[in-house]
Amino acid sequence: MPADRSDLRVDPSVPAGLAAALDRAAGRLASALRGLDADAGRIEPWLGDPVSADAAARYAAHAADGPGAAIEQLRALHAELVRARDTLDASGRGYAVTEDAVARSWATR
């Protein structure tokens, strides 16, 4: 039967690795948002007739403007990824500092 391991240990590279993964995701999303921003104002009639032109304009307005616009939701997701990355990065650094301090305190006994 395995010994009871009630202590919690985190590999110091894990928080940094997770923060880097969030950073990569935020970077990909930021790149996509730049492309969406560039295209958001471009309204082209899908079939070249007034009805499809109106549909394209309504779609673009919904996707890029107003409450609940899709692009705003993506911007909010990007901001959340950045906040999560920063929080995880700070937490990982704090954990490493604490672990080092604990290890040093035991080394002097």
Side-chain angles (χ1 to χ4, degrees):
M1 180 174 263
D4 180 32
R5 299 289 309 222
S6 58
D7 61 330
L8 173 65
R9 295 195 51 81
V10 175
D11 181 333
S13 67
V14 170
L18 292 172
L22 288 172
D23 191 52
R24 288 188 301 275
R28 288 191 306 271
L29 185 52
S31 177
L33 281 167
R34 284 189 295 276
L36 288 172
D37 282 336
D39 290 341
R42 188 178 340 164
I43 300 171
E44 299 176 13
W46 294 338
L47 300 174
D49 64 291
V51 173
S52 66
D54 183 55
R58 282 185 283 125
Y59 175 81
H62 172 71
D65 297 321
I71 200 164
E72 291 306 319
Q73 298 300 315
L74 291 171
R75 284 188 184 106
L77 173 61
H78 179 263
E80 188 60 31
L81 285 171
V82 170
R83 276 192 297 276
R85 177 208 58 204
D86 292 347
T87 300
L88 187 57
D89 188 46
S91 177
R93 284 192 316 270
Y95 179 82
V97 167
T98 301
E99 279 292 299
D100 288 345
V102 168
R104 281 192 308 275
S105 75
W106 281 99
T108 59
R109 293 179 185 210

